[in-house]
């Protein structure tokens, strides 16, 4: 593995999102002096928080899987996730509601889910689910250490016995076809393939290897941190500060001082100069390239994942059919992905994610009130409406989504909303997200593993990238890994452990 050359005693980490904080904790654990600079007033990055009228709204991800990856970062400084954050295992992980009026609770326990599938679709589908679960577990084991939790220096690293193992498992076939080998019910197939949208690829075109995301969602378990997802970066920042990190809020980087192939210091917009031996950039790829003065050459332009419209709604009521996470599927499926990724049209028959964090933490809303987070995937601004177009389009689309949810059983939703925030590609663009998408660069084959933007910067000996735009990719688990991999580039032969399970999952407050 290639590593940062020269001294690495003092590392500046730009960005206090999940990847930056994970990187900082792993570095602190090896005795490095770490300064974290963040342009916002506090930690979180994408996993931020807005307070509005007594409601505490997560502005980023709402689904937490693989919490042991966060625990690894805490453990690097002798701390633990369990001592900082109270986690609740969600049962069910999701509730799927379909256009035909049926619903399915997605359990992560094998026996419970098999029984639910049997109730929902009969014994043949239950047997197929049992086979699918075994396949997902083998797929995860084949991929995690060799292809996800690893730093790539060359595509030749793929030439390993694990590659043959992955091929034998059908990992290079198509996701939809592979799921279809086990499940014939189209509703069930959606439950185990919609996750490819996170990767920015339709199930019919995605590699079957991306079913590893379904493993994280439907086998490994889904968790909720009391206080919302933002409680995780907040706790990581507190742990980093207790371990000696210098955390600088409202500190925006303006320029980098370079000489002899190294970044020697970071200049803030305030004029302050912070010398460094090594630098980790966790900001958006476009922002990182702007600071570095250039973007690496690629034979084909980077493609971004679809974007999303998000409605944060504080309401005076809720609906008994909603779980903590509810997937509301329309009738359309293949057409939906065609609209999102190719034709650039808004979903004509939308599939939506509804999250109700007050189901497990009523303190996130005023007494007797509720929080609902509605995510509607939409095309990014490269293939769909421009960012400016969303200035007028956004409110109209918001009304159509609310009306659609009312038709699907959330009667009175429009009148129940007391406070709301609407986020569209216009807002994502203003925040600096490429193509107006918070999901960054998509996971097509040409943008995965060794073909994804590397976390080492050519021409600079002491700069490393982290975050969802680089290795290994998009999602809470992967950005936590990204921070660890960036730290490993600096720490050299000292590699943080990757444990199958963490103490936080075996007892204590995580249950």
């Amino acid at each position: 593995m290639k590593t940062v050359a020269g001294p690495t005693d003092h590392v500046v980490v730009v960005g206090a999102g999940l990847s930056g904080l994970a990187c900082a904790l792993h570095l602190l654990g090896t005795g490095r002096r770490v300064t974290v600079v963040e342009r916002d007033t506090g930690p979180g990055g994408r996993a931020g928080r807005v307070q509005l009228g007594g409601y505490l709204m997560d502005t980023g991800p709402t689904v937490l899987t693989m919490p042991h990856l966060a625990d690894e970062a805490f453990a690097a400084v002798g701390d633990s996730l369990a001592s900082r954050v109270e986690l609740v295992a969600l049962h069910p992980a999701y509730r799927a509601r379909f256009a035909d009026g049926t619903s399915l609770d997605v359990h992560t326990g094998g026996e419970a889910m098999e029984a639910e599938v049997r109730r929902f679709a009969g014994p043949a589908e239950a047997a197929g689910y049992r086979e699918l679960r075994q396949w997902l577990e083998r797929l995860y084991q084949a991929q995690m250490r060799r292809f996800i939790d690893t730093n790539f220096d060359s595509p030749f690293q793929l030439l390993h016995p694990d590659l043959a193992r992955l091929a034998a498992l059908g990992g290079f076939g198509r996701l939809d076809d592979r799921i279809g080998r086990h499940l014939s019910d189209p509703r069930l197939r959606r439950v185990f393939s919609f996750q490819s949208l996170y990767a920015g690829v339709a199930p019919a075109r995605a590699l079957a290897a991306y079913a590893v995301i379904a493993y994280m969602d439907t086998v490994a378990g889904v968790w909720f941190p009391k206080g919302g997802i933002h409680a995780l970066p907040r706790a990581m920042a507190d742990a980093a500060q207790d371990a000696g990190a210098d955390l600088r809020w409202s500190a925006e980087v303006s320029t980098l001082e370079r000489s002899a192939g190294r970044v020697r210091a970071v200049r803030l917009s305030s004029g302050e100069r912070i010398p460094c031996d090594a630098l980790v950039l966790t900001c958006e790829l476009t922002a990182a390239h702007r600071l570095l003065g250039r973007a690496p050459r690629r034979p084909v332009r980077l493609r971004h994942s679809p974007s999303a419209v998000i409605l944060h709604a504080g309401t005076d009521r809720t609906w008994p059919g909603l779980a903590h996470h509810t997937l509301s599927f329309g009738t359309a499926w293949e057409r939906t992905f065609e609209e999102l990724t190719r034709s650039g049209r808004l979903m004509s028959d939308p599939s939506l994610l509804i999250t109700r964090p007050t189901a497990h933490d009523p303190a996130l809303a005023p007494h007797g009130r509720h929080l609902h987070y509605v995510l509607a995937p939409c095309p990014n601004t490269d293939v769909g409406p421009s960012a400016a177009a969303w200035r007028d389009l956004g409110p109209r689309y918001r009304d159509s989504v609310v009306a659609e949810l009312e038709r699907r059983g959330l009667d009175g939703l429009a009148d129940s909303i007391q406070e709301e925030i609407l986020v569209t590609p216009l807002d994502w663009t203003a925040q600096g997200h490429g193509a107006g998408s918070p999901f960054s660069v998509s996971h097509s084959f040409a943008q995965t593993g060794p073909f994804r933007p590397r976390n080492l910067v050519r021409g600079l000996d002491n700069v490393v990238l982290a975050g969802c735009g680089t290795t290994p990719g998009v999602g809470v688990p992967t950005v936590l890994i990204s921070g660890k991999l960036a730290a490993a580039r600096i720490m050299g032969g000292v590699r943080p452990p990757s444990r199958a399970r963490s103490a936080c999952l075996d007892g204590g407050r995580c249950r």
Side-chain angles (χ1 to χ4, degrees):
M1 181 183 69
K2 293 181 180 178
T3 58
V4 165
T8 59
D9 297 332
H10 179 212
V11 183
V12 171
V13 178
V14 177
L18 292 172
S19 64
L21 292 168
C23 181
L25 287 167
H26 284 296
L27 290 170
L28 288 162
T30 62
R32 265 71 174 186
R33 185 162 64 93
V34 177
T35 300
V36 179
V37 295
E38 168 57 55
R39 67 180 180 180
D40 290 337
T41 57
R46 279 176 169 81
R49 167 177 284 174
V50 170
Q51 184 169 352
L52 180 65
Y55 294 93
L56 299 176
M57 303 174 176
D58 278 328
T59 60
T62 63
V63 179
L64 176 63
T65 62
M66 312 289 283
H68 70 273
L69 296 170
D71 194 48
E72 286 183 359
F74 286 100
V77 294
D79 210 323
S80 71
L81 176 61
S83 69
R84 297 276 183 174
V85 180
E86 182 180 357
L87 291 185
V88 178
L90 297 185
H91 303 294
Y94 295 94
R95 176 166 295 148
R97 299 175 67 177
F98 301 95
D100 63 1
T102 58
S103 67
L104 171 80
D105 281 355
V106 179
H107 299 284
T108 52
E111 292 184 3
M113 186 60 184
E114 186 176 339
E116 177 69 353
V117 172
R118 183 178 294 107
R119 175 201 68 80
F120 180 78
E125 293 297 277
Y129 162 73
R130 186 167 58 247
E131 295 170 356
L132 173 63
R133 184 183 179 95
Q134 293 169 356
W135 177 72
L136 289 172
E137 290 172 340
R138 293 197 301 270
L139 190 75
Y140 172 79
Q141 292 164 3
Q143 286 192 76
M144 188 62 179
R145 289 293 292 168
R146 181 61 53 184
F147 304 114
I148 298 175
D149 188 9
T150 192
N151 274 312
F152 282 100
D153 294 318
S154 165
F156 292 109
Q157 284 178 249
L158 293 173
L159 302 179
H160 185 274
D162 282 345
L163 184 67
R165 184 181 175 197
L166 182 59
L169 287 168
F172 297 104
R174 295 303 174 190
L175 175 63
D176 197 42
D177 291 342
R178 190 71 202 195
I179 299 296
R181 291 191 180 191
H182 304 284
L183 301 172
S184 60
D185 190 304
R187 298 166 300 174
L188 289 174
R189 291 169 69 169
R190 291 188 187 191
V191 169
F192 292 95
S193 63
F194 82 90
Q195 296 89 351
S196 72
L197 183 61
Y198 301 155
V201 186
R205 297 196 302 274
L207 291 178
Y210 295 150
V212 71
I213 311 175
Y215 167 88
M216 295 177 184
D217 270 3
T218 67
V219 177
V222 177
W223 306 76
F224 173 70
K226 287 292 186 73
I229 294 289
H230 180 71
L232 177 57
R234 176 68 63 181
M236 294 173 74
D238 290 344
Q241 187 168 44
D242 289 349
D246 181 8
L247 305 179
R248 309 284 189 92
W249 310 125
S250 302
E252 186 164 7
V253 177
S254 59
T255 57
L256 306 177
E257 288 187 13
R258 289 175 285 186
S259 67
R262 298 179 72 84
V263 170
R264 305 291 179 174
V266 168
R267 286 270 186 188
L268 305 182
S269 55
S270 64
E272 182 182 1
R273 179 180 183 272
I274 305 176
C276 62
D277 295 312
L279 174 67
V280 180
L281 296 174
T282 75
C283 46
E284 289 295 314
L285 279 181
T286 50
H289 294 157
R290 185 168 58 252
L291 287 171
L292 295 169
R294 59 183 172 83
R297 293 181 180 178
R298 292 181 64 90
V300 179
R301 180 186 176 192
L302 288 173
R303 297 180 61 182
H304 286 76
S305 295
S307 185
V309 172
I310 298 175
L311 175 63
H312 302 271
T315 66
D316 62 8
R317 61 168 295 190
T318 189
W319 293 264
L322 295 178
H324 190 109
H325 297 297
T326 301
L327 295 161
S328 177
F329 290 107
T331 301
W333 189 237
E334 290 83 2
R335 186 176 80 232
T336 294
F337 284 94
E338 173 70 21
E339 290 167 340
L340 291 173
T341 63
R342 293 197 169 186
S343 68
R345 294 191 298 268
L346 300 182
M347 291 182 292
S348 54
D349 184 15
S351 290
L352 308 166
L353 170 65
I354 307 154
T355 294
R356 186 166 61 102
T358 43
H360 287 90
D361 192 352
L364 295 172
H367 180 70
R369 303 293 177 86
H370 307 269
L371 260 179
H372 297 87
Y373 164 111
V374 181
L375 185 151
C378 70
N380 65 44
T381 57
D382 282 345
V383 299
S386 68
W390 280 98
R391 189 170 285 109
D392 296 323
L393 179 59
R396 297 200 306 272
Y397 190 56
R398 174 263 187 212
D399 291 346
S400 71
V401 168
V402 169
E404 181 63 29
L405 286 172
E406 289 190 330
R407 284 192 290 272
R408 297 182 186 183
L410 302 192
D411 54 289
L413 173 59
D415 292 337
S416 75
I417 297 175
Q418 307 292 300
E419 301 281 358
E420 70 175 89
I421 297 174
L422 181 69
V423 185
T424 75
L426 174 65
D427 303 287
W428 302 126
T429 299
Q431 294 173 29
H433 299 304
S437 172
F439 304 115
S440 193
V441 177
S442 69
H443 284 260
S444 62
F445 180 77
Q447 296 178 172
T448 298
F451 309 113
R452 198 163 181 83
R454 296 181 62 206
N455 60 0
L456 286 179
V457 176
R458 190 183 302 275
L460 289 170
D461 294 338
N462 65 338
V463 180
V464 186
L465 304 181
C468 58
T470 185
T471 303
V474 179
V476 172
T478 40
V479 297
L480 290 168
I481 293 172
S482 175
K484 181 176 70 169
L485 295 178
R489 292 288 195 185
I490 293 169
M491 297 183 298
V494 180
R495 179 182 172 87
S498 180
R499 294 169 289 167
R501 290 178 64 85
S502 68
C504 85
L505 298 183
D506 293 325
R509 299 173 63 200
C510 289
R511 295 232 182 249

